[in-house]
Amino acid sequence: MLSVSFDEIIAKLNAGKLYDFPGGVHPEDKKLLTSQAEIQTVSLPEKLIIPIRQHVGTEGRLAISVGDRVKKGQPLTRSSHPFAIPVHAPTSGKVTEIGPHVTAHPSGLNEQAITIIPDGHDEWTSLTPLSDYTAHSSEKVVEALCDAGISGMGGAGFPTHIKASGTKKIEFMVINGVECEPYITADDRLMREHAWQVRQGTDVLAHLIKPQVIIIAIEDNKPEALKAMQIACQDSADIRVVSVPTKYPAGGEKQLIQVLTGREVPRDGLPADIGVLMFNVGTCYAIADAIFQGKPLVERVVTVTGEAVEKPCNVWALIGTPVNHLLKEAGYNPTKQAQPQVVMGGPMMGFTLNDADVPVVKITNCLLVPASGELIDEDNERPCIRCSACADACPASLLPQQLFWHAKAHEYDKAQEYNLFDCIECGACAYVCPSEIPLVHYYRQAKSSIRQQRDEKARAEKARERFEARKARLEREKIEREEKHRRAKEARENKTPAGSSKDKVAAALARAKAKRAGKEENNTEQDQSATQTDKQAKVAAAVARAKAKKAGGQQSDSKDNQDRSDNVADEKKQQVAAAVARAKAKKTQRDSKSAPDKNSAASEENSSAQSENRATDEVSTQSAEDSKKQRVAAAVARAKAKKAQRDSKSAPDKSSPSGIAKR
Amino acid sequence: MSLTVALIAIGLLALIFGLVLGYASIKFKVEGDPLVDQIDEILPQTQCGQCGYPGCRPYAEAIANGDEINKCPPGGEATIKQLADLMGVEAKPLDAAHGEEDEKKVAFIREDECIGCTKCIQACPVDAILGAAKHMHTVITDECTGCDLCVDPCPVDCIDMVPVSPTTTSWTWDFDKTPKGDIPIKMVS
């Protein structure tokens, strides 16, 4: 939906005018705490913790193992998927651990992370720059961006190479240097000190995307950054450096697009759908590093600020630096806080960390350590007075009080009717609320609950499908089985008149046997070839075995018993009996009422063994040869049982197999 | 005379309406019971049989025929509430005879203890166990509904029900557990 035409927008930009977005607030920006000092380097921390997933999407495959020595910039994971981007070693050192570690997430849950102890040399791996990127195909450049582990550094962490390889026609490429959130000055300092490199990154992106216009947007409370970028871009006619009026949240993607172009991103769409792509200045800097020097993304600018640190500043923090190391460097003063509190991100959209051991990740732009009373954190929420100040402040033109109402009452379907998912969680509504209701809290909770319910619903749907598919399969198999039986019966009926009386007897015996086993009758063909006496003995043995098995409470596949030679069957029986005995013993142990159960198990085993003996006796009386075979088999089985005993070391196991083996 | 006319007229009308109704009942016949579908939609589809019916759909049919709505432990209070809304009856606490509401679990086979008997495969209502006779079996975690049905048939007791721990993607903001708040939101100026 192109509500505003390209020419119209250009005309307006040429006239130095901009559009506006509804709502917005003007919180005190407090940027002076950190905006005057240069970005500092910090000492190497004792350990670095690199979560293997730091972006939207899936994680890559591990490329190293514990104990490996890694060099700075060496990939720790490999991209195995378009949405998986690798992470790199931030310094040289030794991998000491790969395992769950608390990550930069409001839940404080653990995620897979790699721990590296630095060796202090900070030695780079061999780098392969792509300085002549214009000479290479865009696929190659995009691949280089992916391999350098670059994901959006503005906040969402969307993989940059995916954004840059889109096929939609792009009219405007926007470089976002607005940084509207109070306190944060990381992008401001980056533009002031490294304007040229930001420009270089912009050029790389422009080469890939080929937009008609490039806009670098900077809020008008950062005049130095604006000046620096203007100087860096003065030779290019395609790049416009635009000063945007200061208003929170002008830096939000949708809001900035609205300010610059007057276009609105459709609800389920992406900016690319309306011909716009947006990148953060930090991402541009990282791209320039990756292309011109071959350096992967291993460090970023982090604002460490708040009144509870003595020296608020911007620092170059290696990805994976624990938060407490940066706080120590900035002079954290715990006495200024009633209780320890560190906010990751800005005061409006950040979240309080659960643990100071959380590492800095690719999207961490600020650590805010507020003194008591600097931010409101007391729980003095009062009832909503329906003043509608929140609706006036909402940049997405929602009705926050209605959303709050329904979210609080867990009426999620109604909340969705009021477009809950269009909320960008900027916190402007909560900022203006005179009742101090933490509105965004309610929205976030409602959103995550809705997402979870959706997932559950999808899972239930899948389970239902699988259940029904299984039912259909069982039904089909049953019909097939019946059909097979019917056909076998017919075939037999056609055959029997031709056969001799001897064959008839044999067939009848075989049928009886097969019926008992509940098996197909095809096997009778095989049996017919054997002599009758032998067969009778075998049948008797099989019947006896089946009985014995029933007594033992074990239903095993009797088809095997028919088909295979006696000694194999016997052996197997022994094994099965041993397994049963083991299981029973285990069960009794677990139930901790060992004595009576064990006895019953043992007696059951005995009875099964006895009936088995009876069966084998019958066989032996009928055929001397058979009995010999049986004995050999029994010996083999005894050996096996003994082995099984040794394997399962629990004491009660010993009684039952030996009971069977004893003859 | 007028009486016969009236009788005939009424009789004719009755015939016409009867035909119309008869035609409509054939033409607009509803296949299956939509109520059963709606109930089935609410049930959690674990197919665990704890309600005493062989699967969720049979229980949905039973509810539609007037059975109690509080026999589904995996669904718990939330499902009972939704069923009560749908059926227009009073929500009641879960019937303890059918089990208690528990956290979400999935089956896990201790693979070196598995003897490959295929019994759990036959018991699984959603075909979430993979394996062959005399070969080790394993559970497809994503497909497991945590119904528990594979645990009892196992002759060597090598199946555990493992609670599903929340990950950062499945985690929900819990307002009650963090009254202080996770986000600062408001500045004092």
Side-chain angles (χ1 to χ4, degrees):
Chain A
M1 187 188 69
L2 297 174
S3 52
V4 187
S5 76
F6 179 73
D7 296 331
E8 235 176 292
I9 296 165
I10 293 299
K12 198 146 183 173
L13 281 176
N14 285 340
K17 284 183 188 158
L18 292 169
Y19 298 84
D20 194 11
F21 66 90
V25 291
H26 293 94
E28 193 190 343
D29 69 8
K30 305 230 183 175
K31 288 184 192 263
L32 276 176
L33 277 172
T34 51
S35 64
Q36 299 312 308
E38 273 185 21
I39 306 174
Q40 293 163 19
T41 48
V42 290
S43 62
L44 269 178
E46 281 168 24
K47 61 171 181 178
L48 290 153
I49 302 128
I50 302 104
I52 61 173
R53 196 175 74 105
Q54 300 187 16
H55 60 279
V56 178
T58 50
E59 61 264 44
R61 265 199 309 260
L62 281 174
I64 42 94
S65 48
V66 174
D68 285 2
R69 301 207 73 85
V70 290
K71 286 186 174 172
K72 185 170 185 167
Q74 184 181 332
L76 301 175
T77 61
R78 285 193 199 291
S79 169
S80 54
H81 184 269
F83 264 87
I85 53 177
V87 291
H88 299 82
T91 185
S92 57
K94 193 177 169 192
V95 177
T96 55
E97 201 186 330
I98 300 171
H101 191 277
V102 63
T103 48
H105 190 272
S107 63
L109 287 172
N110 292 344
E111 278 195 338
Q112 204 73 356
I114 299 163
T115 306
I116 292 178
I117 304 283
D119 59 10
H121 301 309
D122 213 27
E123 183 187 354
W124 279 96
T125 183
S126 61
L127 303 175
T128 48
L130 205 67
S131 322
D132 51 343
Y133 66 92
T134 45
H136 292 279
S137 66
S138 37
E139 285 80 30
K140 185 109 194 265
V141 181
V142 164
E143 203 187 308
L145 293 185
C146 177
D147 290 343
I150 293 172
S151 60
M153 289 163 82
F158 192 85
T160 302
H161 70 280
I162 292 177
K163 241 192 206 180
S165 56
T167 50
K168 289 211 170 79
K169 193 177 167 301
I170 300 301
E171 291 171 345
F172 300 94
M173 185 175 90
V174 182
I175 305 301
N176 187 345
V178 173
E179 200 165 52
C180 58
E181 185 134 358
Y183 286 97
I184 309 178
T185 56
D187 290 349
D188 182 14
R189 287 307 313 182
L190 192 71
M191 285 187 286
R192 283 201 221 177
E193 293 174 34
H194 301 279
W196 177 244
Q197 199 165 346
V198 173
R199 161 75 202 282
Q200 281 182 309
T202 309
D203 285 343
V204 174
L205 283 172
H207 169 70
L208 292 175
I209 293 160
K210 302 192 173 52
Q212 295 181 23
V213 180
I214 301 163
I215 303 173
I216 298 179
I218 299 165
E219 226 172 28
D220 59 12
N221 61 356
K222 292 185 262 297
E224 296 92 341
L226 191 72
K227 187 100 192 119
M229 285 315 295
Q230 270 165 348
I231 292 168
C233 302
Q234 59 193 352
D235 61 326
S236 169
D238 297 342
I239 304 179
R240 292 158 187 267
V241 182
V242 176
S243 165
V244 176
T246 301
K247 179 163 88 167
Y248 181 84
E253 189 175 56
K254 291 174 180 176
Q255 281 63 43
L256 185 56
I257 289 171
Q258 211 174 344
V259 167
L260 295 172
T261 68
R263 293 178 185 171
E264 275 189 64
V265 181
R267 170 190 303 193
D268 299 318
L270 291 167
D273 298 338
I274 53 166
V276 185
L277 268 189
M278 189 174 287
F279 297 92
N280 181 264
V281 287
T283 316
C284 290
Y285 178 88
I287 288 170
D289 246 2
I291 298 298
F292 295 101
Q293 301 191 52
K295 286 184 186 172
L297 177 51
V298 293
E299 61 179 358
R300 67 156 297 144
V301 185
V302 178
T303 307
V304 184
T305 183
E307 285 165 17
V309 289
E310 303 291 341
K311 300 169 282 182
C313 57
N314 280 292
V315 294
W316 280 111
L318 295 174
I319 304 294
T321 309
V323 162
N324 46 20
H325 180 76
L326 292 182
L327 295 187
K328 208 164 64 196
E329 292 275 323
Y332 170 54
N333 183 354
T335 57
K336 287 199 176 173
Q337 285 187 319
Q339 61 177 51
Q341 186 196 16
V342 182
V343 178
M344 191 174 263
M348 306 291 276
M349 292 185 74
F351 56 90
T352 304
L353 292 179
N354 304 49
D355 192 328
D357 213 19
V358 165
V360 166
V361 294
K362 289 173 186 174
I363 58 171
T364 306
N365 52 5
C366 177
L367 294 172
L368 172 57
V369 197
S372 307
E374 195 176 348
L375 305 173
I376 281 194
D377 60 355
E378 296 116 81
D379 196 14
N380 44 3
E381 176 184 343
R382 294 182 295 277
C384 171
I385 57 168
R386 297 246 157 199
C387 65
S388 90
C390 48
D392 294 337
C394 181
S397 306
L398 301 175
L399 292 174
Q401 77 275 40
Q402 290 302 100
L403 290 173
F404 161 64
W405 201 254
H406 294 309
K408 194 174 182 182
H410 299 275
E411 294 168 340
Y412 296 139
D413 44 344
K414 292 218 178 87
Q416 284 182 85
E417 277 172 30
Y418 282 96
N419 303 320
L420 174 66
F421 279 91
D422 287 347
C423 170
I424 59 164
E425 300 174 22
C426 67
C429 49
Y431 177 75
V432 297
C433 182
S435 293
E436 289 176 23
I437 303 170
L439 290 157
V440 181
H441 261 299
Y442 287 99
Y443 307 153
R444 281 184 174 175
Q445 201 226 342
K447 277 182 180 179
S448 57
S449 294
I450 291 168
R451 278 197 202 103
Q452 204 179 29
Q453 279 176 11
R454 241 183 240 169
D455 287 355
E456 248 159 47
K457 195 101 216 161
R459 277 179 69 100
E461 195 49 47
K462 209 159 89 178
R464 191 211 320 271
E465 273 168 23
R466 289 180 76 90
F467 178 62
E468 269 156 21
R470 179 173 187 268
K471 239 169 47 182
R473 195 193 73 221
L474 292 179
E475 191 62 29
R476 202 173 55 236
E477 278 173 359
K478 201 176 146 202
I479 290 168
E480 273 168 12
R481 211 163 41 239
E482 274 165 7
E483 177 69 13
K484 212 172 179 181
H485 281 209
R486 201 179 51 75
R487 255 188 285 127
K489 202 177 163 195
E490 271 170 18
R492 208 167 45 247
E493 270 164 7
N494 293 340
K495 214 173 174 183
T496 32
S500 66
S501 62
K502 245 186 185 178
D503 284 348
K504 261 188 209 165
V505 172
L509 276 170
R511 255 208 305 284
K513 182 175 71 181
K515 209 183 241 171
R516 203 176 283 267
K519 280 291 150 189
E520 301 148 33
E521 327 244 321
N522 296 357
N523 301 325
T524 54
E525 315 279 325
Q526 282 181 339
D527 291 342
Q528 277 170 359
S529 61
T531 65
Q532 213 184 343
T533 47
D534 199 27
K535 200 179 289 159
Q536 269 174 345
K538 268 189 190 166
V539 168
V543 169
R545 266 202 302 277
K547 268 186 192 158
K549 205 169 280 167
K550 235 175 231 166
Q554 172 74 21
Q555 348 161 307
S556 148
D557 202 357
S558 51
K559 189 182 171 187
D560 290 339
N561 291 343
Q562 289 174 359
D563 293 348
R564 294 182 177 213
S565 72
D566 280 342
N567 95 12
V568 175
D570 235 32
E571 213 176 89
K572 195 158 156 206
K573 232 188 309 172
Q574 298 276 15
Q575 277 181 338
V576 170
V580 169
R582 262 206 308 280
K584 275 196 183 141
K586 215 180 251 175
K587 241 176 213 161
T588 49
Q589 270 185 344
R590 197 173 300 167
D591 293 348
S592 74
K593 18 173 198 179
S594 44
D597 272 20
K598 219 186 285 169
N599 287 346
S600 72
S603 68
E604 263 180 61
E605 287 313 318
N606 284 342
S607 73
S608 85
Q610 276 166 14
S611 51
E612 210 173 298
N613 286 348
R614 238 182 291 131
T616 41
D617 284 349
E618 266 177 67
V619 177
S620 58
T621 49
Q622 283 186 14
S623 155
E625 252 186 64
D626 255 7
S627 77
K628 209 184 222 168
K629 242 191 242 169
Q630 293 281 356
R631 253 178 278 159
V632 172
V636 172
R638 262 200 300 278
K640 282 262 159 89
K642 233 176 230 168
K643 211 177 183 183
Q645 266 181 27
R646 243 180 288 134
D647 285 350
S648 56
K649 277 162 203 154
S650 57
D653 284 1
K654 279 175 192 163
S655 63
S656 32
S658 61
I660 294 167
K662 199 165 49 193
R663 276 240 181 99
Chain B
M1 179 61 198
S2 59
L3 186 72
T4 39
V5 170
L7 280 176
I8 290 165
I10 297 293
L12 274 176
L13 279 176
L15 198 67
I16 291 165
F17 287 133
L19 283 174
V20 169
L21 281 173
Y23 174 74
S25 74
I26 295 164
K27 173 86 181 168
F28 302 110
K29 193 170 190 294
V30 178
E31 293 289 340
D33 190 349
L35 182 62
V36 173
D37 283 335
Q38 284 174 36
I39 298 170
D40 198 27
E41 193 83 345
I42 293 171
L43 293 173
Q45 303 300 328
T46 46
Q47 319 292 355
C48 62
Q50 288 183 66
C51 51
Y53 296 95
C56 291
R57 189 156 186 100
Y59 181 43
E61 279 159 12
I63 293 175
N65 291 328
D67 199 354
E68 293 292 344
I69 57 169
N70 59 350
K71 294 184 177 176
C72 181
E77 299 297 330
T79 299
I80 292 172
K81 193 165 161 280
Q82 281 181 48
L83 285 173
D85 285 348
L86 178 70
M87 303 296 289
V89 294
E90 201 84 350
K92 46 183 108 179
L94 189 67
D95 188 349
H98 294 278
E100 282 161 14
E101 194 174 351
D102 203 355
E103 60 187 327
K104 178 128 181 48
K105 290 179 173 173
V106 290
F108 174 77
I109 295 178
R110 293 196 301 276
E111 292 172 348
D112 48 348
E113 288 172 44
C114 175
I115 56 166
C117 70
T118 74
K119 286 206 176 98
C120 53
I121 295 182
Q122 289 155 31
C124 180
V126 291
D127 279 342
I129 301 179
L130 203 69
K134 301 183 196 74
H135 288 83
M136 180 200 84
H137 303 348
T138 197
V139 176
I140 309 169
T141 315
D142 284 350
E143 309 291 357
C144 178
T145 62
C147 69
D148 230 26
L149 291 179
C150 52
V151 175
D152 274 346
C154 180
V156 291
D157 255 347
C158 71
I159 305 181
D160 293 325
M161 295 307 291
V162 183
V164 182
S165 54
T167 62
T168 47
T169 41
S170 68
W171 175 81
T172 56
W173 293 82
D174 194 337
F175 202 72
D176 303 324
K177 280 184 192 158
T178 52
K180 271 279 184 188
D182 299 308
I183 40 176
I185 294 173
K186 190 159 184 171
M187 293 164 53
V188 179
S189 48

mmCIF file with all atom_site columns, all heavy atoms in Angstrom, chain A residues 171-182:
data_model
loop_
_atom_site.group_PDB
_atom_site.id
_atom_site.type_symbol
_atom_site.label_atom_id
_atom_site.label_alt_id
_atom_site.label_comp_id
_atom_site.label_asym_id
_atom_site.label_entity_id
_atom_site.label_seq_id
_atom_site.pdbx_PDB_ins_code
_atom_site.Cartn_x
_atom_site.Cartn_y
_atom_site.Cartn_z
_atom_site.occupancy
_atom_site.B_iso_or_equiv
_atom_site.pdbx_formal_charge
_atom_site.auth_seq_id
_atom_site.auth_comp_id
_atom_site.auth_asym_id
_atom_site.auth_atom_id
_atom_site.pdbx_PDB_model_num
ATOM 1  N N   . GLU A 1 171 ? 12.947 1.559 -2.372 1.00 0.00 ? 171 GLU A N   1
ATOM 2  C CA  . GLU A 1 171 ? 13.064 2.968 -2.738 1.00 0.00 ? 171 GLU A CA  1
ATOM 3  C C   . GLU A 1 171 ? 13.938 3.731 -1.738 1.00 0.00 ? 171 GLU A C   1
ATOM 4  O O   . GLU A 1 171 ? 14.771 4.536 -2.107 1.00 0.00 ? 171 GLU A O   1
ATOM 5  C CB  . GLU A 1 171 ? 11.666 3.611 -2.805 1.00 0.00 ? 171 GLU A CB  1
ATOM 6  C CG  . GLU A 1 171 ? 10.848 3.101 -3.968 1.00 0.00 ? 171 GLU A CG  1
ATOM 7  C CD  . GLU A 1 171 ? 9.399  3.565 -3.925 1.00 0.00 ? 171 GLU A CD  1
ATOM 8  O OE1 . GLU A 1 171 ? 8.948  4.036 -2.860 1.00 0.00 ? 171 GLU A OE1 1
ATOM 9  O OE2 . GLU A 1 171 ? 8.730  3.462 -4.941 1.00 0.00 ? 171 GLU A OE2 1
ATOM 10 N N   . PHE A 1 172 ? 13.682 3.437 -0.467 1.00 0.00 ? 172 PHE A N   1
ATOM 11 C CA  . PHE A 1 172 ? 14.415 4.163 0.573  1.00 0.00 ? 172 PHE A CA  1
ATOM 12 C C   . PHE A 1 172 ? 15.199 3.198 1.442  1.00 0.00 ? 172 PHE A C   1
ATOM 13 O O   . PHE A 1 172 ? 14.633 2.228 1.949  1.00 0.00 ? 172 PHE A O   1
ATOM 14 C CB  . PHE A 1 172 ? 13.453 4.936 1.478  1.00 0.00 ? 172 PHE A CB  1
ATOM 15 C CG  . PHE A 1 172 ? 12.635 5.954 0.762  1.00 0.00 ? 172 PHE A CG  1
ATOM 16 C CD1 . PHE A 1 172 ? 11.370 5.631 0.291  1.00 0.00 ? 172 PHE A CD1 1
ATOM 17 C CD2 . PHE A 1 172 ? 13.125 7.235 0.549  1.00 0.00 ? 172 PHE A CD2 1
ATOM 18 C CE1 . PHE A 1 172 ? 10.609 6.567 -0.371 1.00 0.00 ? 172 PHE A CE1 1
ATOM 19 C CE2 . PHE A 1 172 ? 12.356 8.174 -0.118 1.00 0.00 ? 172 PHE A CE2 1
ATOM 20 C CZ  . PHE A 1 172 ? 11.101 7.836 -0.587 1.00 0.00 ? 172 PHE A CZ  1
ATOM 21 N N   . MET A 1 173 ? 16.488 3.474 1.574  1.00 0.00 ? 173 MET A N   1
ATOM 22 C CA  . MET A 1 173 ? 17.233 2.744 2.583  1.00 0.00 ? 173 MET A CA  1
ATOM 23 C C   . MET A 1 173 ? 17.518 3.724 3.713  1.00 0.00 ? 173 MET A C   1
ATOM 24 O O   . MET A 1 173 ? 18.123 4.784 3.484  1.00 0.00 ? 173 MET A O   1
ATOM 25 C CB  . MET A 1 173 ? 18.543 2.196 2.013  1.00 0.00 ? 173 MET A CB  1
ATOM 26 C CG  . MET A 1 173 ? 19.290 1.332 3.010  1.00 0.00 ? 173 MET A CG  1
ATOM 27 S SD  . MET A 1 173 ? 20.740 0.575 2.289  1.00 0.00 ? 173 MET A SD  1
ATOM 28 C CE  . MET A 1 173 ? 21.959 1.817 2.628  1.00 0.00 ? 173 MET A CE  1
ATOM 29 N N   . VAL A 1 174 ? 17.041 3.403 4.897  1.00 0.00 ? 174 VAL A N   1
ATOM 30 C CA  . VAL A 1 174 ? 17.168 4.324 6.018  1.00 0.00 ? 174 VAL A CA  1
ATOM 31 C C   . VAL A 1 174 ? 18.231 3.813 6.986  1.00 0.00 ? 174 VAL A C   1
ATOM 32 O O   . VAL A 1 174 ? 18.192 2.648 7.382  1.00 0.00 ? 174 VAL A O   1
ATOM 33 C CB  . VAL A 1 174 ? 15.817 4.488 6.755  1.00 0.00 ? 174 VAL A CB  1
ATOM 34 C CG1 . VAL A 1 174 ? 15.951 5.496 7.884  1.00 0.00 ? 174 VAL A CG1 1
ATOM 35 C CG2 . VAL A 1 174 ? 14.730 4.907 5.792  1.00 0.00 ? 174 VAL A CG2 1
ATOM 36 N N   . ILE A 1 175 ? 19.191 4.672 7.313  1.00 0.00 ? 175 ILE A N   1
ATOM 37 C CA  . ILE A 1 175 ? 20.165 4.338 8.337  1.00 0.00 ? 175 ILE A CA  1
ATOM 38 C C   . ILE A 1 175 ? 19.711 5.043 9.604  1.00 0.00 ? 175 ILE A C   1
ATOM 39 O O   . ILE A 1 175 ? 19.597 6.263 9.659  1.00 0.00 ? 175 ILE A O   1
ATOM 40 C CB  . ILE A 1 175 ? 21.580 4.803 7.932  1.00 0.00 ? 175 ILE A CB  1
ATOM 41 C CG1 . ILE A 1 175 ? 21.953 4.229 6.558  1.00 0.00 ? 175 ILE A CG1 1
ATOM 42 C CG2 . ILE A 1 175 ? 22.588 4.377 8.993  1.00 0.00 ? 175 ILE A CG2 1
ATOM 43 C CD1 . ILE A 1 175 ? 21.946 2.719 6.449  1.00 0.00 ? 175 ILE A CD1 1
ATOM 44 N N   . ASN A 1 176 ? 19.423 4.235 10.615 1.00 0.00 ? 176 ASN A N   1
ATOM 45 C CA  . ASN A 1 176 ? 18.773 4.739 11.810 1.00 0.00 ? 176 ASN A CA  1
ATOM 46 C C   . ASN A 1 176 ? 19.804 5.154 12.858 1.00 0.00 ? 176 ASN A C   1
ATOM 47 O O   . ASN A 1 176 ? 20.446 4.327 13.489 1.00 0.00 ? 176 ASN A O   1
ATOM 48 C CB  . ASN A 1 176 ? 17.847 3.647 12.363 1.00 0.00 ? 176 ASN A CB  1
ATOM 49 C CG  . ASN A 1 176 ? 16.987 4.130 13.504 1.00 0.00 ? 176 ASN A CG  1
ATOM 50 O OD1 . ASN A 1 176 ? 17.240 5.182 14.079 1.00 0.00 ? 176 ASN A OD1 1
ATOM 51 N ND2 . ASN A 1 176 ? 15.970 3.355 13.831 1.00 0.00 ? 176 ASN A ND2 1
ATOM 52 N N   . GLY A 1 177 ? 19.966 6.453 12.998 1.00 0.00 ? 177 GLY A N   1
ATOM 53 C CA  . GLY A 1 177 ? 20.848 6.984 14.039 1.00 0.00 ? 177 GLY A CA  1
ATOM 54 C C   . GLY A 1 177 ? 20.061 7.856 14.988 1.00 0.00 ? 177 GLY A C   1
ATOM 55 O O   . GLY A 1 177 ? 20.598 8.798 15.574 1.00 0.00 ? 177 GLY A O   1
ATOM 56 N N   . VAL A 1 178 ? 18.796 7.531 15.141 1.00 0.00 ? 178 VAL A N   1
ATOM 57 C CA  . VAL A 1 178 ? 17.908 8.395 15.933 1.00 0.00 ? 178 VAL A CA  1
ATOM 58 C C   . VAL A 1 178 ? 18.208 8.254 17.425 1.00 0.00 ? 178 VAL A C   1
ATOM 59 O O   . VAL A 1 178 ? 18.334 9.241 18.140 1.00 0.00 ? 178 VAL A O   1
ATOM 60 C CB  . VAL A 1 178 ? 16.428 8.064 15.635 1.00 0.00 ? 178 VAL A CB  1
ATOM 61 C CG1 . VAL A 1 178 ? 15.526 8.823 16.582 1.00 0.00 ? 178 VAL A CG1 1
ATOM 62 C CG2 . VAL A 1 178 ? 16.102 8.412 14.197 1.00 0.00 ? 178 VAL A CG2 1
ATOM 63 N N   . GLU A 1 179 ? 18.326 6.999 17.861 1.00 0.00 ? 179 GLU A N   1
ATOM 64 C CA  . GLU A 1 179 ? 18.608 6.714 19.273 1.00 0.00 ? 179 GLU A CA  1
ATOM 65 C C   . GLU A 1 179 ? 17.751 7.569 20.201 1.00 0.00 ? 179 GLU A C   1
ATOM 66 O O   . GLU A 1 179 ? 18.215 8.459 20.903 1.00 0.00 ? 179 GLU A O   1
ATOM 67 C CB  . GLU A 1 179 ? 20.093 6.949 19.569 1.00 0.00 ? 179 GLU A CB  1
ATOM 68 C CG  . GLU A 1 179 ? 20.541 6.239 20.814 1.00 0.00 ? 179 GLU A CG  1
ATOM 69 C CD  . GLU A 1 179 ? 22.054 6.168 20.894 1.00 0.00 ? 179 GLU A CD  1
ATOM 70 O OE1 . GLU A 1 179 ? 22.704 7.208 20.772 1.00 0.00 ? 179 GLU A OE1 1
ATOM 71 O OE2 . GLU A 1 179 ? 22.583 5.068 21.070 1.00 0.00 ? 179 GLU A OE2 1
ATOM 72 N N   . CYS A 1 180 ? 16.444 7.288 20.186 1.00 0.00 ? 180 CYS A N   1
ATOM 73 C CA  . CYS A 1 180 ? 15.502 8.167 20.879 1.00 0.00 ? 180 CYS A CA  1
ATOM 74 C C   . CYS A 1 180 ? 15.391 7.860 22.358 1.00 0.00 ? 180 CYS A C   1
ATOM 75 O O   . CYS A 1 180 ? 14.868 8.660 23.122 1.00 0.00 ? 180 CYS A O   1
ATOM 76 C CB  . CYS A 1 180 ? 14.133 8.039 20.229 1.00 0.00 ? 180 CYS A CB  1
ATOM 77 S SG  . CYS A 1 180 ? 13.505 6.354 20.255 1.00 0.00 ? 180 CYS A SG  1
ATOM 78 N N   . GLU A 1 181 ? 15.844 6.698 22.766 1.00 0.00 ? 181 GLU A N   1
ATOM 79 C CA  . GLU A 1 181 ? 15.650 6.326 24.178 1.00 0.00 ? 181 GLU A CA  1
ATOM 80 C C   . GLU A 1 181 ? 16.562 7.153 25.094 1.00 0.00 ? 181 GLU A C   1
ATOM 81 O O   . GLU A 1 181 ? 17.733 7.378 24.776 1.00 0.00 ? 181 GLU A O   1
ATOM 82 C CB  . GLU A 1 181 ? 15.925 4.830 24.344 1.00 0.00 ? 181 GLU A CB  1
ATOM 83 C CG  . GLU A 1 181 ? 15.623 4.363 25.733 1.00 0.00 ? 181 GLU A CG  1
ATOM 84 C CD  . GLU A 1 181 ? 14.827 3.065 25.793 1.00 0.00 ? 181 GLU A CD  1
ATOM 85 O OE1 . GLU A 1 181 ? 14.446 2.504 24.767 1.00 0.00 ? 181 GLU A OE1 1
ATOM 86 O OE2 . GLU A 1 181 ? 14.585 2.630 26.897 1.00 0.00 ? 181 GLU A OE2 1
ATOM 87 N N   . PRO A 1 182 ? 16.034 7.606 26.216 1.00 0.00 ? 182 PRO A N   1
ATOM 88 C CA  . PRO A 1 182 ? 16.854 8.391 27.150 1.00 0.00 ? 182 PRO A CA  1
ATOM 89 C C   . PRO A 1 182 ? 18.099 7.610 27.592 1.00 0.00 ? 182 PRO A C   1
ATOM 90 O O   . PRO A 1 182 ? 18.115 6.378 27.521 1.00 0.00 ? 182 PRO A O   1
ATOM 91 C CB  . PRO A 1 182 ? 15.922 8.609 28.346 1.00 0.00 ? 182 PRO A CB  1
ATOM 92 C CG  . PRO A 1 182 ? 14.561 8.430 27.822 1.00 0.00 ? 182 PRO A CG  1
ATOM 93 C CD  . PRO A 1 182 ? 14.656 7.463 26.691 1.00 0.00 ? 182 PRO A CD  1
#
